[in-house]
Structures are given as structure tokens and as C-alpha cells.
Amino acid sequence: ISSSKDLIIIDAYCWKENAINVIKSLLNLFEHKNYPSYPSVKIFYKENRQDSSPSPEYIKNKLRLGLNNIAKTLEITICQIKETDQSDAFHNRYILNELGGIQLGHGLDLSGKEHHTDEAILLAKDVYMKRWEQFYYPDQFEILNEVKFVG
């Protein structure tokens, strides 16, 4: 993550409090490194009518509360998306950059309880390429709402 030019975070439920805290922690990692430039960050989450998923503006406001000085300079885009007839199902959770990616089985909103665990699985190249193409240019999904800001 620390040498990324592009960082893509994909979690259907990234608007939940635990997930927002994990995202803040990831973005705050850049505080401890000196780089000539920092990545652009894209965060994707799914429309969820059952759980009444909030707007990207809500996530932006929550993220801003805990970002350090470096993270506050990152260009961040948050997109609420919807599956279409042409898109893949949006369920699995990923963190991608231009070098590779990981899949998180449970997602970013793991409870934090000691006995709740999850694995980060390194993506095979073909799976990584498929997900990178899907989310770097997410034209298969319908973008319902989007907000762009500097941390």
C-alpha cells in the first residue's frame, strides 16, 4: 500500500463504523513514509436497501474525523454502486493497487472481538486483473452517487 499510485478499496459495507475505522487506519499509514507523491484513493460500496446504506457524503464526513495530516492531502473518491445486468455480482471485498491485491473474506467491518478472525488472501494474477479492470474503470456498474474530495 505504501508505494501505491492508485489504491482501490472495495467493500459492500464500508460505511459501517468498523470498516470506516479500518479505512482511516490504512490511509493514515502514509504519515510514516516520505514519498514524492501519494496515491489517489477510490472506495466502492454497494447500494443496500435493507440496511439503508448512507450516501458517500456520510462516509466522507466520518473519514475526515480521523485522518492525519498526510491522509488529509489524499485525493479520495467514494462511489456508491449498483449491480447491472452487465456487471459481476458485488459481494467480495478487496484492496487493490497497481501491483496486486488481496481479498478479505469477511470484509473491513470485522467486529474487533478477539475470537472473530479473517484472512487476507493474495489474489492470483488473473483474478487480480479481472477485479482491477472492473473497479479501475467501473463502467459495468451503475454509479448511484459519488463524492470526490481531498482528505
Side-chain angles (χ1 to χ4, degrees):
I1 288 178
S2 61
S3 62
S4 299
K5 293 179 185 173
D6 295 290
L7 179 62
I8 302 174
I9 300 169
I10 304 151
D11 189 321
Y13 300 97
C14 75
W15 47 269
K16 292 187 175 184
E17 196 67 32
N18 287 336
I20 288 173
N21 289 335
V22 170
I23 294 169
K24 283 191 254 189
S25 294
L26 286 172
L27 299 180
N28 284 334
L29 288 173
F30 294 103
E31 175 99 327
H32 306 291
K33 307 287 182 184
N34 287 325
Y35 295 101
S37 64
Y38 295 95
S40 65
V41 179
K42 295 179 184 176
I43 301 169
F44 293 95
Y45 72 103
K46 185 177 180 177
E47 169 200 42
N48 188 312
R49 292 192 179 125
Q50 268 184 338
D51 289 337
S52 300
S53 55
S55 72
E57 192 73 29
Y58 169 87
I59 298 169
K60 175 185 100 170
N61 292 335
K62 290 289 194 176
L63 280 177
R64 279 189 156 165
L65 293 175
L67 295 179
N68 62 35
N69 290 335
I70 296 296
K72 288 179 180 175
T73 67
L74 298 174
E75 294 178 18
I76 301 171
T77 303
I78 303 172
C79 296
Q80 181 183 43
I81 62 176
K82 180 180 179 180
E83 294 170 358
T84 68
D85 291 338
Q86 289 76 39
S87 70
D88 198 346
F90 182 8
H91 176 73
N92 293 334
R93 284 77 163 177
Y94 303 97
I95 298 175
L96 309 172
N97 69 14
E98 66 281 358
L99 302 174
I102 60 171
Q103 178 180 345
L104 302 164
H106 186 79
L108 298 173
D109 67 331
L110 195 63
S111 72
K113 293 180 180 177
E114 187 176 331
H115 60 279
H116 289 187
T117 62
D118 197 7
E119 288 75 39
I121 301 163
L122 187 62
L123 296 176
K125 186 171 181 157
D126 60 327
V127 175
Y128 161 74
M129 291 305 299
K130 178 180 179 180
R131 298 305 175 200
W132 182 258
E133 289 172 10
Q134 280 181 324
F135 288 98
Y136 193 77
Y137 298 108
D139 56 357
Q140 294 178 354
F141 297 100
E142 180 182 345
I143 297 176
L144 299 174
N145 202 343
E146 176 181 59
V147 64
K148 295 180 182 187
F149 64 101
V150 175

